[in-house]
Amino acid sequence: MNKHRMLVDGAWVDAAAGEWLESINPFTANAWALIPRGRKADVDRAVDAAKKAFYGKDWRGLTASARGALLRRLAELLATEADRLAEIESTDNGKLISEMRSQLHYVPKWFHYFAGLSDKIEGRVLPSDKPGFFNFTREEPLGVVAAITPWNSPLLLAAWKLAPALAAGNTVVLKPSEHSSVSALAFGELFEKAGFPPGAVNIVTGLGNEAGEPLITHPGVAKIAFTGGDRTGQAVYEQAARGIKRVTLELGGKSANIVFDDADLDQAVNGVVAGIFAATGQTCIAGSRALIHRPIYDAFVERLITLAKTARMGNPLDLSTQVGPITTRPQYEKVLEYMQVAKGEGAVCLLGGGPAQRPECGTGWFVEPTIFAGVRPEMRIANEEVFGPLLSLIPFDDEEEAIRVANSTIYGLAAGVWTSSIRRALAMSERLEAGTVWVNCYRVTSYMTPFGGFKRSGFGREGGMEAIREYLQTKSVWIDMEGKTANPFGLR
Ligand code: NDP
């Protein structure tokens, strides 16, 4: 079993306490790697290193274009390593190799895009109502950024944070999920190769409460960029408030995929299945509620079940597998528990509804792709994030009802609308309370496009021009151009 080390101040180190955590392959349910069990002492060293790098001339002294060039070099190295990193992630979190490969080949584009923005960060010269004064703004980095990422898309979500943070001139301490840290550590090797100075990027592995909490509470951290569950997100936000730190939070959802009777139903059925069963439902944007127009309800549900039944489960490293295991044992138990909750609430299980006992699933943590009908908007299963392959079907009569039900949860991350009417598409996209609305498509994201939540799905945006602003602060500079004697006791 490979024993990994953490990246602190440009060096590969063990945890100060010399302890390790097992990383489990969810397909076999066996440990396959050891990662250092970092704690406060390790976090302190990493934040100190990031702080030193932030103020050091090797980072701070770089021109914006030189910083962009470093990010481009990193992107190129990452592209050459994409297949290897994909295999690591697939082994570590059980997501399909086909998905992880396409994800990892896409990740370099995030670094290219933000590399391009690094030398386009501009201040403004402002008009002044005070004669004789010159007034301008500078956009400056914040300092040390703590990036905390979950297990479902480890490097993609790290890139969403690191690329804009570094492009803006910050330094970073990354704390990946304890369940999927290995790819982040492999990624860490590329920073030195790309020519980043020691301490610009540090990676501390460990448990959320032992390594994550000391990181977010560290006084040397200026900003926290977090993706994860909303309860942890709330705790992060509370801690950040104590330290008056900036935060971006991306906290999951209960997204509605809304199918109207005028939709292309072949497309819609594919979109609804992909929305919930891709990534085994372990994605913040999972379309976990299908709202179906009543005139097509029966026919659509039949097609949905026919398609979902064809899902090939098995080894995520096999290119033909379509649904892989659940990443962690607690998550596996949580998904199974929600199946019982749904049944207890009176929902009718049309497909699946329990653990997958297929021979191709081996000893892994698999659950059957599951569809519940008879779900009412007030049920827990229609409101709480399951983070697994569990779809709730809810019929609706008209646009008003679709909007009311879609917007009725505490979340607001994403929504899908399937219709051939442009009027309906525009009306729905305006009224849906979600950070992303997809029309006749689902799960499309890009480095050029802002991504983030409404309501309890969080705030702040990752991707696009909006993302780099999350890592900058504005300074106003006043210069007295006339040098008149200042009034010693008053403002000018
Ligand atoms: P968490 O929100 O607990 O984990 C996200 C990250 O935060 C991990 O790196 C975790 O570390 C870290 N963390 C945990 N506790 C703290 C803390 N007190 N201070 C700082 N960092 C902390 O997600 P879980 O893995 O527990 O999943 C729980 C639920 O969250 C899921 O069932 C799902 O509903 C949702 N989720 C949403 C995601 C999204 O994309 N929005 C992604 C993942 C989960 P560690 O893993 O090492 O404990």
Side-chain angles (χ1 to χ4, degrees):
M1 209 178 341
N2 271 347
K3 236 182 186 185
H4 296 272
R5 299 179 125 187
M6 308 185 290
L7 179 61
V8 177
D9 205 8
W12 290 95
V13 297
D14 295 342
E19 288 180 60
W20 308 86
L21 293 166
E22 288 184 337
S23 204
I24 314 279
N25 173 344
F27 177 59
T28 61
N30 291 323
W32 78 288
L34 291 171
I35 56 159
R37 183 171 182 166
R39 289 200 174 86
K40 186 174 181 309
D42 306 286
V43 166
D44 289 348
R45 279 163 59 208
V47 176
D48 288 349
K51 215 168 159 186
K52 195 175 75 192
F54 181 72
Y55 291 110
K57 70 171 178 15
D58 289 349
W59 180 248
R60 194 94 186 213
L62 289 177
T63 64
S65 299
R67 219 166 49 235
L70 277 184
L71 284 167
R72 265 184 220 105
R73 176 90 190 104
L74 180 73
E76 283 155 13
L77 291 168
L78 197 52
T80 65
E81 294 289 325
D83 286 338
R84 183 172 78 92
L85 293 167
E87 195 165 323
I88 292 175
E89 295 209 333
S90 194
T91 309
D92 216 11
N93 73 1
K95 280 180 72 177
L96 304 183
I97 187 70
S98 48
E99 171 159 11
M100 295 335 265
R101 268 192 203 152
S102 69
Q103 211 174 78
L104 267 298
H105 279 281
Y106 197 61
V107 167
K109 292 181 194 287
W110 284 80
F111 289 98
H112 279 297
Y113 176 81
F114 286 100
L117 285 187
S118 62
D119 56 6
K120 290 158 198 75
I121 298 166
E122 296 168 349
R124 288 181 298 148
V125 174
L126 303 164
S128 173
D129 66 334
K130 311 215 182 299
F133 279 92
F134 183 60
N135 185 199
F136 66 96
T137 61
R138 296 169 49 84
E139 294 299 322
E140 297 189 354
L142 304 169
V144 178
V145 171
I148 300 197
T149 49
W151 37 262
N152 54 342
S153 291
L155 282 186
L156 181 74
L157 296 175
W160 287 16
K161 296 162 179 56
L162 266 64
L166 294 169
N170 301 279
T171 56
V172 178
V173 179
L174 169 65
K175 207 300 278 176
S177 166
E178 99 213 37
H179 305 294
S180 61
S181 293
V182 181
S183 64
L185 296 173
F187 174 47
E189 291 165 14
L190 307 182
F191 286 94
E192 193 189 348
K193 284 191 192 149
F196 281 78
V201 174
N202 307 272
I203 305 171
V204 177
T205 56
L207 299 172
N209 60 345
E210 292 179 356
E213 205 170 320
L215 179 58
I216 59 173
T217 52
H218 195 296
V221 166
K223 177 190 168 119
I224 303 157
F226 174 86
T227 301
D230 65 331
R231 290 205 186 123
T232 315
Q234 183 181 332
V236 168
Y237 195 19
E238 283 166 6
Q239 292 288 4
R242 286 200 186 114
I244 319 283
K245 289 175 189 172
R246 304 228 187 165
V247 205
T248 46
L249 298 173
E250 201 273 271
L251 307 178
K254 193 73 192 176
S255 300
N257 224 336
I258 308 166
V259 186
F260 285 97
D261 61 355
D262 62 358
D264 176 332
L265 296 187
D266 290 330
Q267 295 281 6
V269 81
N270 286 341
V272 172
V273 165
I276 185 64
F277 298 128
T280 320
Q282 299 174 107
T283 133
C284 50
I285 51 181
S288 49
R289 295 179 297 156
L291 276 49
I292 302 164
H293 213 171
R294 214 176 283 275
I296 56 159
Y297 183 84
D298 289 338
F300 190 80
V301 170
E302 199 182 313
R303 293 174 73 158
L304 202 58
I305 289 171
T306 306
L307 182 61
K309 267 187 185 160
T310 65
R312 281 189 301 275
M313 303 183 80
N315 188 344
L317 287 173
D318 181 338
L319 277 173
S320 66
T321 299
Q322 293 170 319
V323 175
I326 301 289
T327 299
T328 70
R329 174 127 210 140
Q331 188 63 27
Y332 170 72
E333 283 161 4
K334 177 179 164 184
V335 175
L336 291 177
E337 195 183 311
Y338 267 107
M339 291 178 179
Q340 296 314 316
V341 167
K343 289 172 190 167
E345 288 181 306
V348 181
C349 187
L350 300 181
L351 185 72
Q357 277 145 354
R358 311 183 190 192
E360 57 273 30
C361 294
T363 51
W365 299 313
F366 284 84
V367 299
E368 285 292 339
T370 294
I371 299 180
F372 278 104
V375 176
R376 293 187 308 280
E378 64 276 15
M379 289 179 173
R380 280 182 65 194
I381 200 63
N383 287 285
E384 297 174 19
E385 185 178 47
V386 176
F387 226 64
L390 197 162
L391 179 65
S392 296
L393 305 179
I394 306 175
F396 67 88
D397 284 314
D398 53 24
E399 283 175 30
E400 285 304 316
E401 189 181 3
I403 287 287
R404 198 171 56 246
V405 175
N407 289 345
S408 66
T409 76
I410 55 172
Y411 296 107
L413 191 60
V417 179
W418 300 85
T419 177
S420 56
S421 155
I422 186 72
R423 180 208 61 75
R424 187 170 256 168
L426 288 171
M428 294 296 288
S429 61
E430 184 181 329
R431 296 181 65 197
L432 283 164
E433 292 170 352
T436 297
V437 176
W438 290 293
V439 178
N440 296 332
C441 57
Y442 206 82
R443 287 188 97 215
V444 193
T445 56
S446 165
Y447 46 89
M448 290 183 269
T449 307
F451 178 85
F454 280 23
K455 303 195 288 188
R456 211 177 155 93
S457 290
F459 54 81
R461 291 295 177 266
E462 298 189 298
M465 307 281 282
E466 282 80 354
I468 202 155
R469 291 191 204 115
E470 306 277 352
Y471 296 94
L472 290 165
Q473 54 194 341
T474 305
K475 179 183 280 173
S476 297
V477 183
W478 291 90
I479 301 177
D480 183 342
M481 302 297 287
E482 293 179 352
K484 288 184 190 146
T485 310
N487 174 357
F489 300 111
L491 292 172
R492 273 183 79 176

